């Protein structure tokens, strides 16, 4: 069985500052994918960034980057230059390479202060 | 613009009513999923389908049922709504191959309130 844990229920960040969201996971698979999803209030959940476990290089998408530590089974998300539109629930998720079902963490709410 | 559509967005209904939550996607995805999202925002898989005429129960037991008669359509039905069914319901789909690589595409959700 796979598990994903997000230990921070809520994080607050000042506009233009940086915030890092933590995610740890457990899986017996050697080949898998990790994702961060963003769910704004009353809006559609969207994919922010993804990481292939076989790649050592950390994924980056504009202001969003990850710190993937495979041995430690850690997958944190860094949001740089935070904007008001970044306020949302963020979910970390894991799927084995040949799998069909994502395993989600419990979510972290990000508040952005102007 | 979303390629997966859920209707209605909001629904308030009385106890004992039968309801169907609609989910349609235009991407030709074989795999579709229903999640229930509780007030704490945690996601629970309640149903999934890997293709036409294929449906399975998810990790969280649910009194709802689903059908998959067409690839693009995956409706969820509650025969007799109860206040305990009050929740947000999210529909998602994924590519025929490479679910692992690309993850899911989500709909906007249906927020159901049973009074």
């Amino acid at each position: 069985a796979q598990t994903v844990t997000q230990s921070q229920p809520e994080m607050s960040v000042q506009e233009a500052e940086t915030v890092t969201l933590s995610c740890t996971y457990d899986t017996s698979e050697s080949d898998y994918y990790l994702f961060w999803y963003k769910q704004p209030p009353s809006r559609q959940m969207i994919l922010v960034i993804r990481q292939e476990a076989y790649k050592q290089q950390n994924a980056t998408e504009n202001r969003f980057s990850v710190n993937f530590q495979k041995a430690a089974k850690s997958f944190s998300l860094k949001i740089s230059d935070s904007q008001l539109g970044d306020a949302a629930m963020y979910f970390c998720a894991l799927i084995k390479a040949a799998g069909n079902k994502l395993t989600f963490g419990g979510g972290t709410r990000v508040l952005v202060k102007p | 613009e979303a390629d997966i559509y859920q209707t209605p967005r909001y629904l308030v209904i009385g106890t004992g009513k039968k309801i169907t939550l609609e989910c349609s996607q235009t991407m030709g995805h074989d795999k579709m999923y229903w999640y229930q999202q509780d007030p704490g925002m945690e996601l629970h898989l309640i149903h999934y389908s890997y293709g036409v005429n294929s449906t399975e129960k998810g990790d969280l037991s649910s009194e709802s049922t689903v059908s998959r008669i067409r690839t693009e359509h995956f409706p969820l039905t509650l025969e007799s709504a109860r206040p305990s069914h009050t929740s947000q319901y999210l529909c998602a789909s994924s590519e025929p191959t490479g679910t692992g690589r690309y993850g899911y595409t989500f709909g906007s959700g249906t927020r159901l309130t049973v009074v």
Side-chain angles (χ1 to χ4, degrees), chain B residues 95-111:
Chain B
E95 302 230 350
T97 58
T99 296
R101 181 180 293 274
Y102 301 112
Y104 295 169
T105 300
F106 282 89
S108 297
T110 294
R111 185 169 296 281

Side-chain angles (χ1 to χ4, degrees), chain A residues 33 37 39 42 44 100 102, chain B residues 9 31 33 37 100 104 106:
Chain A
Y33 298 89
Y37 282 88
Q39 187 181 31
S42 300
Q44 185 183 16
N100 295 306
L102 281 169
Chain B
R9 285 294 310 276
K31 300 169 191 174
Y33 310 84
Q37 188 168 31
Y104 295 169
F106 282 89

Side-chain angles (χ1 to χ4, degrees), chain A residues 9-94:
Chain A
E10 187 174 285
M11 294 288 284
S12 184
V13 61
Q14 204 72 35
E15 197 175 5
E17 297 295 310
T18 295
V19 64
T20 299
L21 311 184
S22 300
C23 173
T24 58
Y25 61 92
D26 192 25
T27 180
S28 58
E29 302 289 328
S30 58
D31 195 10
Y32 52 89
Y33 298 89
L34 292 158
F35 305 85
W36 279 99
Y37 282 88
K38 170 185 178 182
Q39 187 181 31
S42 300
R43 290 179 62 187
Q44 185 183 16
M45 190 175 309
I46 58 173
L47 179 65
V48 174
I49 198 166
R50 65 182 182 88
Q51 174 81 39
E52 294 94 333
Y54 61 85
K55 287 188 177 179
Q56 292 185 336
Q57 186 174 6
N58 290 322
T60 300
E61 288 287 343
N62 300 314
R63 297 182 295 105
F64 297 88
S65 61
V66 298
N67 183 4
F68 174 49
Q69 301 290 327
K70 190 171 184 178
K73 295 184 177 176
S74 171
F75 183 60
S76 61
L77 174 71
K78 184 170 79 172
I79 307 173
S80 303
D81 185 25
S82 296
Q83 301 175 0
L84 296 177
D86 295 332
M89 285 292 293
Y90 287 80
F91 292 93
C92 180
L94 162 75

